[in-house]
Structures are given as structure tokens and as C-alpha cells.
Amino acid sequence: MIEFENVSFRYEKEKPVLDDVSFRISPGSKTGLIGANGAGKSTILKLLCGLEQGSGKITVGGLPVIPENLSAVRRQLGFVMQNSDQQMFMPTVYEDMLFAPLNYGVSREEADRRIDDVLARLNITELKYRHNHRLSGGEKRMAAIAVILANHPEVILMDEPTSALDPANRRMMIRTIRELPQTCLITSHDLDMILDTCETVILLHAGKVRAAGSAETILKDRQLLEECHLELPLSLAGKN
Amino acid sequence: MSRINQALRELQSIDELAGGGSPVHRFSPLSKLLVTVGYILTVMSFPKYALSELFLMILYPVCISVLSGIELRRAVKQVRYVLPLVMAVGLFNPLLDRAVVMYLGNIPVSGGFLSLVSLMMKGVFCLLASFFLISTTPADRLFASLRKIHMPAGIVTLLLLTWRYITVLGEEAAVMMTAYHLRAPEQKGLHWRAWGSFIGQLLLRTMDRGSELYESMQLRGYQGDFPAVRQDPFRLKDLLYVLGWVGCFIVLRKYNIAALIGRGAGI
């Protein structure tokens, strides 16, 4: 579904952010992308969407991420940004949810049907006509996911989905992610959430893939995590 | 609450008012836009001493207030920021035009004073009409309606994005002002020495946020158009609304109704 082959990226004349990164994510899986600040997590998400361009080969659903394919690639992707305020720009949740389907040529009737379906599935029907600036942090995050799901993406990218959420909203977010049938690539410093939602993990350190494999194996490896400036998830910290 | 925050909330509350469901809200944005433009042109066309004729033009904002359920008091409160500017425009009229044109009892009233009052009334009426337009019509749909009168798509999109940018600018300015006041509690307003860096930072921050919003739009298939903004049809009832109001404006402009009423009452 997603493939990175020898991908490198650097911002002008700076140290490489990503250095010869390769990995593969299979369809329908949930993968956590973890690493300390500056490890290159958000850059990977941006490269996947074609917001940045590096060297090497990136494919999404068999399509290379190149300027000619951007529209087709982006149609398959849904990117839940870290800051929902930067993701939602229309006055109401409904109008924000309409934006992508209509841009991609879906009829208004079909888009309306999708919107009702997604809102009901996420149990946030009451937010439909709410103004975005009136939503609480948790509601905004759920609405941001709804906005993405309305476009029926095959892959969902999430940048720090649980940051700045209170415990109840965080739990709700974890439940929502677990129920998503799509392929998910989630970046986060919340390793407990990654452990709860992802089967596989890619650990980045200094722009390179340091480890990739089962979430439980990698997240239990205290030495490996500490070498990459991370710590054991709180739920495992007492057990090791 | 800082003044910027307050202004931002007022802007957002206008956006919310525009989502109402009154009879006025239900007319097409284009019809309301045409009526407002007609009203402003009529108000501005009154001679500078024609106070009694001009005064009757208040009928339009009063009617819209009643029909839309938006209090006139609220409208007056919202336009208060611009009132000093309106006054400033005609401030020197009483000094420049001292000829006595009428008597109020025994008190002589100069042409300059009359023209000042007339200018203020014109300003307030136009602002009230504009306020009622934006508080009964969502901005997106209002701008989208401009496409119907063949305004180029690029300009309409520019207007839509500028409207969005005002909120982004306001939010960033509010955050920066809060940070400034927390570190300068004794300071009233922004010290002039900080103006340069404040404006520079504001520009950079809003550019950053703007480009992130733009990325979000690109990722959702944005190609220079806003198909999610509803294009309201222009129906017969909208045409009648426009014709009705424009007819009223013509009558009020052509005939001195106040004088006719006065004459009829034998005053």
C-alpha cells in the first residue's frame, strides 16, 4: 500500500532530515511512526502527500508520488493534521466535510449521504451544523477525522492525534482509530496510544529507520527506545 | 478580554447570525446584495441639506431588523467603531459653510451643520444596511453570488480567502497581544517601539498559518474553486424582493414623503 525506497530529504543546505529511508506498509494495517523530536516523522507524512519532494521512490497504492500523480495520490489519502485549526477552514463542520468530495467530483447528494454516515459512525451527528470556532478541542479533533473520512480515503495519515486531548477524549480517539478499517500511519509521542492502536511500528532516529516490526516487540525494548531518546510506554514501564 | 479578541468574537457572531432562518435570510444573496447596493446609492444621492427626505430612508434598516429578528440596537452597536471616522469626514463643514439655511424656532442653523448631520446620517444608514447584509447572508454565499453577475472567478476566490484571512490575522494578533500584555502588564496598548517587530511577527505567523491552511486545501483537492459554497438560485421571489425595495427607494428619493405627510396634516 505504502512503500518508501531509499528516500532521502533535506531542507536547503541543512543536515538531511531523512537519510536513505525504506519501509513498506501493508494494506489495512495500522502502523505507528515514532521517534524523538526532529527524527523526521512529520517529514515522512509530508513526503507521502507530495507536500515536500525528496530523492528516492515513494508509492501509494502502486502510484509513484510524483507531481503528475499528485491528484490521484491525494485522493487516496486523508491527512489528519496535528492542529485541527489548520485543517478546518470552512465556517461549519458540514461545509468542511463537503469540501473534498465536491472537489473530487462527488455529487452533492452522495456527499450528503457520506457525511451523515460518517457523523453517525463517529457518533458526532450533533456537530454537523456547528461552527468550527465553537468546537472544543476534543470535538474539533473528532470533526477533523470526520472531514477526512467523508472523502473515503484508503489511507489515513495522522500527525499526533492525541496531543492536547484530555483523558476521556484521548480514550475516545483511541477507540475511533481502532475501529477505522483503513490503512493508518500514525505519528505520535504517545507510545501508549501507539501500543493500543498499532500492530506495527517504525522507529526513526536521526533521519534513519532504526527498527521496524511488531509494536509490542519494539515498544518493550527499553534499551532500543532509550538509545533513540524515547522511554517505555507508561503501561509497560512498571513491568520491565 | 482584549479588544482584538472582542472584535474577533463579534466577527464570529456575525457569521453565526448569517446562518439564521428568518424570511430575510431565505432570500438569495444576490437579491440582498442588489438591494443593499441600490439603498447605498439612493442614500448617497440625497442633496446635502435634504434631512427630512433622507431621514425616511431609515425605514429599510428598520424593516430588515424586524423581518430578520436582528435588533436594530445590536446593529448600531456593531457599527460604532466606524462612527468616529464618519464624523471626522464632515467635521469641518460647520466651519466652512456658515450660511444660515433655516431656523429651528429662533435658532439659526448653518448649512455646514446641516450637511454634517446629513453626512453622519448617510454614513450610519449605509453601515447599517451593510451590517444587515452580512448578518443575514453567509459571507461565502454572498461572494459566490458575485459569480452570477459575471465577476471573474479569481476575484471571487480572492474575496473568499481574504475573508478567511481576516480571522487568521485576528486570531494570531490576539495571541500575540495576550503574550505581550502578560510580559508588559503596566503597558496600555502596544508601545510604539514594539510596533515594527509586532507587525513583522504577525505577518510571518499569519503567512505560516496561511500556508498550512493552503496545504490542507490542496490535500483535499482544491483547484482554485470552492464548490462546497452553495450557489443559490435567483428565483421569482428574489426578483420581486429586489423590485419592491428598489421601487420604494425611488419613491422615497423622488418625493418628499415627510413634507407630503406634514402638508396633509396641516403642519
Side-chain angles (χ1 to χ4, degrees):
Chain A
M1 185 85 233
I2 295 174
E3 209 163 344
F4 267 57
E5 268 182 62
N6 311 108
V7 176
S8 297
F9 176 81
R10 70 169 73 210
Y11 291 100
E12 284 173 35
K13 290 178 185 170
E14 285 177 26
K15 213 175 104 196
V17 180
L18 295 177
D19 186 12
D20 201 23
V21 168
S22 300
F23 61 82
R24 196 173 173 278
I25 294 171
S26 46
S29 66
K30 291 189 175 57
T31 304
L33 196 55
I34 60 171
N37 288 334
K41 305 184 294 292
S42 298
T43 306
I44 285 183
L45 298 189
K46 287 195 164 190
L47 286 168
L48 261 174
C49 304
L51 292 173
E52 301 286 2
Q53 288 192 344
S55 60
K57 191 179 174 194
I58 304 170
T59 53
V60 175
L63 278 174
V65 182
I66 50 173
E68 299 84 72
N69 290 341
L70 275 190
S71 177
V73 168
R74 286 174 179 172
R75 204 176 177 143
Q76 297 183 56
L77 298 173
F79 190 176
V80 182
M81 294 182 165
Q82 184 175 359
N83 183 349
S84 309
D85 281 329
Q86 271 144 15
Q87 184 182 327
M88 295 166 69
F89 45 82
M90 298 297 280
T92 62
V93 174
Y94 170 66
E95 286 165 285
D96 238 310
M97 290 180 78
L98 265 182
F99 189 84
L102 294 190
N103 271 325
Y104 285 120
V106 174
S107 71
R108 192 173 270 266
E109 293 72 33
E110 168 64 10
D112 276 333
R113 199 189 56 72
R114 284 187 188 184
I115 289 169
D116 288 338
D117 177 52
V118 167
L119 290 172
R121 194 144 43 97
L122 296 182
N123 208 15
I124 51 168
T125 307
E126 72 284 0
L127 301 185
K128 185 174 178 182
Y129 294 111
R130 289 267 295 278
H131 280 255
N132 287 336
H133 64 262
R134 291 275 181 205
L135 302 177
S136 69
E139 289 173 334
K140 220 174 258 182
R141 202 56 70 85
M142 290 305 287
I145 293 181
V147 161
I148 294 309
L149 290 180
N151 198 35
H152 284 188
E154 286 160 43
V155 180
I156 297 178
L157 312 175
M158 292 184 168
D159 197 0
E160 301 280 359
T162 52
S163 67
L165 289 184
D166 62 40
N169 279 312
R170 180 179 169 278
R171 263 199 309 279
M172 187 161 71
M173 179 60 67
I174 290 173
R175 209 165 40 238
T176 305
I177 295 173
R178 285 166 87 155
E179 285 168 6
L180 290 173
Q182 286 92 344
T183 307
C184 291
L185 181 59
I186 305 165
T187 76
S188 186
H189 293 294
D190 180 352
L191 299 188
D192 286 279
M193 182 272 289
I194 295 287
L195 190 62
D196 274 350
T197 55
C198 301
E199 308 97 55
T200 51
V201 154
I202 297 166
L203 172 60
L204 292 173
H205 182 58
K208 288 180 181 289
V209 174
R210 181 66 195 274
S214 146
E216 219 163 311
T217 313
I218 292 175
L219 293 176
K220 272 182 181 169
D221 192 334
R222 182 193 291 265
Q223 196 186 341
L224 175 68
L225 291 175
E226 284 179 356
E227 278 170 16
C228 298
H229 309 297
L230 296 174
E231 290 173 359
L232 279 178
L234 285 174
S235 55
L236 299 179
K239 296 176 189 170
N240 280 22
Chain B
M1 193 192 305
S2 79
R3 272 195 286 181
I4 298 177
N5 266 322
Q6 199 182 341
L8 206 59
R9 287 208 175 187
E10 284 179 11
L11 202 67
Q12 287 166 341
S13 75
I14 291 175
D15 236 7
E16 284 173 21
L17 277 181
S22 78
V24 183
H25 285 85
R26 287 198 288 271
F27 283 110
S28 86
L30 184 60
S31 66
K32 286 180 272 185
L33 178 69
L34 291 175
V35 169
T36 307
V37 171
Y39 177 79
I40 291 172
L41 290 176
T42 312
V43 165
M44 297 314 285
S45 73
F46 276 95
K48 58 183 179 180
Y49 300 148
L51 278 190
S52 59
E53 295 98 314
L54 180 61
F55 183 72
L56 282 182
M57 290 301 286
I58 196 152
L59 277 174
Y60 172 70
V62 169
C63 284
I64 298 296
S65 164
V66 172
L67 291 173
S68 65
I70 299 167
E71 286 182 14
L72 194 61
R73 198 174 47 179
R74 177 167 188 178
V76 173
K77 201 177 150 198
Q78 296 284 354
V79 302
R80 69 189 182 281
Y81 295 116
V82 202
L83 284 180
L85 195 72
V86 174
M87 272 188 75
V89 174
L91 203 60
F92 294 105
N93 285 16
L95 302 174
L96 299 172
D97 179 4
R98 294 182 185 184
V100 175
V101 290
M102 64 176 283
Y103 285 88
L104 213 61
N106 290 329
I107 306 165
V109 180
S110 71
F113 182 75
L114 273 190
S115 65
L116 169 66
V117 175
S118 134
L119 205 63
M120 283 172 62
M121 280 168 66
K122 283 179 183 178
V124 170
F125 289 175
C126 292
L127 287 171
L128 286 178
S130 308
F131 172 79
F132 279 117
L133 174 66
I134 58 165
S135 57
T136 57
T137 318
D140 296 341
R141 281 161 62 189
L142 183 63
F143 294 137
S145 74
L146 297 173
R147 292 289 291 274
K148 283 205 164 50
I149 50 173
H150 301 290
M151 187 170 277
I155 295 180
V156 173
T157 304
L158 191 68
L159 285 170
L160 278 164
L161 294 177
T162 308
W163 179 252
R164 294 267 165 272
Y165 184 68
I166 290 172
T167 321
V168 172
L169 189 75
E171 282 171 4
E172 291 301 321
V175 169
M176 285 175 67
M177 277 307 280
T178 306
Y180 178 84
H181 284 304
L182 286 172
R183 282 179 288 160
E186 302 295 317
Q187 186 79 50
K188 272 192 178 175
L190 189 69
H191 194 279
W192 65 270
R193 282 187 185 154
W195 287 2
S197 56
F198 190 90
I199 291 170
Q201 281 299 316
L202 184 61
L203 184 70
L204 290 175
R205 288 171 67 121
T206 52
M207 274 169 66
D208 272 354
R209 261 197 76 182
S211 52
E212 274 162 355
L213 282 170
Y214 182 62
E215 281 178 356
S216 166
M217 288 160 68
Q218 278 184 310
L219 292 179
R220 288 197 269 151
Y222 176 71
Q223 284 161 343
D225 204 1
F226 278 81
V229 178
R230 206 165 79 202
Q231 293 271 1
D232 300 78
F234 192 81
R235 290 154 299 189
L236 181 65
K237 70 168 192 172
D238 300 307
L239 181 67
L240 292 175
Y241 180 77
V242 176
L243 292 177
W245 275 117
V246 170
C248 276
F249 299 154
I250 291 172
V251 170
L252 288 170
R253 177 67 187 87
K254 200 157 187 273
Y255 303 101
N256 187 346
I257 308 286
L260 289 175
I261 294 170
R263 239 175 272 150
I267 300 167

